[in-house]
Amino acid sequence: MWREVQGSKNWENLVDPLDSLLRSEIIRYGEFVAACYDAFDLDPNSKRYLNCKYGKRSMLSEVGLGESGYQVTKYIYATPDIINHVFPNNISIGSSCGKWIGYIAVSNDEETKRLGRRDVVVTFRGTVTIPEWIANLMSSLTPASLDPHNPRPQVKVEAGFLSLYTSNEDKKFGLGSCREQLLSEIGRVVNKYKGEELSITLAGHSMGSALALLLAYDIAELGLNTHDDHTVPVTVFSFGGPRVGNSGFKERCEELGVKVLRITNVNDPITKLPGVFLNENFRVLGGKYEVPWSCSCYAHVGVEILLDFFKMHNPSCVHDLGTYLSLLKCPKRLHVQKEEDIDFINKAKEFVISGLNFNAALQWKNAAMNMVNMVQSQRT
């Protein structure tokens, strides 16, 4: 059954209605993602500011997951160079040095026996720092070109996400790019347990789900999940995730067998971006120019579980991971009637702008306003 829960049959007959075992697994992986937020140090006066508050051995225990049956093997840092591209005159709006963005954990022997396989989990938090917000506001497609032997120019992804994944600006600590850290550790772990039944599970929230999908594609494209004619399943659990690439990226992920389960809120504007207009639903002249245009259109990947929890006192809840998990834990509340729709867009504007939270950022305030205005135009 674990293979079906991991998407071997594209979650056929498990999504509608939502299977109880699948629901519990979604919650379990969602809690691993929530740990990224709980352990992230946001105190500017702390020596661990914008890094993990705890050591690898104690982190899961410190955030309440000490009985999860997993052990953290590596912390992951992202070193975006977004600021240098957007602000060539070196306007100081924040450091571009490496920030703790997630971790890799492996199930222990007891949990492996319970699950029926050795599970390698990679989790990513969502947007917190200024460069990450800027990356979220970018919307240009660029070739992924992650396999040097076969760059596949038709496979394109969002430039900001790709930069977060591949940039290596923090050379002082010798960390390497986010991608290099991830591929190195995953290769090591898979090789260590290659004689066992394995699964690779990637989970993230918001921007983190975009990184999870990029990593899943990268692993499969490079064949890191294939050993002795045996393919290790690669599964992504995406919470409130945006679109990541074009239709060529979507099709290639499907060809490679990457399984993606997207848990989304119908009222979450982040899941509509990028590609509010040019997306998988776009058609030109009845489809006559559908193929040429498809390379410029964003497309979601995978199977969607669409939630509806609009009736919230605080509009920020529409994208909050805690709300996603709370409602999944209460199945009777998964589908809530929409109410007070008129005031949503104005409140969402205030939420997006306040999330940026940095001084002298008028141009990014305007960008955020434009982003939500696009969402409004789509809703109408």
Side-chain angles (χ1 to χ4, degrees), residues 57-96:
R57 292 184 179 180
S58 64
M59 192 272 279
L60 291 178
S61 296
E62 293 285 355
V63 298
L65 294 177
E67 303 299 320
S68 65
Y70 286 72
Q71 181 169 349
V72 176
T73 66
K74 189 169 183 67
Y75 282 166
I76 305 301
Y77 300 83
T79 57
D81 63 353
I82 296 292
I83 288 179
N84 296 329
H85 290 299
V86 177
F87 294 104
N89 295 325
N90 296 319
I91 297 177
S92 178
I93 62 170
S95 172
S96 63

Side-chain angles (χ1 to χ4, degrees), residues 159-175:
F161 298 145
L162 184 64
S163 177
L164 285 168
Y165 183 60
T166 60
S167 294
N168 183 17
E169 293 297 300
D170 199 3
K171 299 176 182 178
K172 180 173 69 173
F173 298 103
L175 292 172

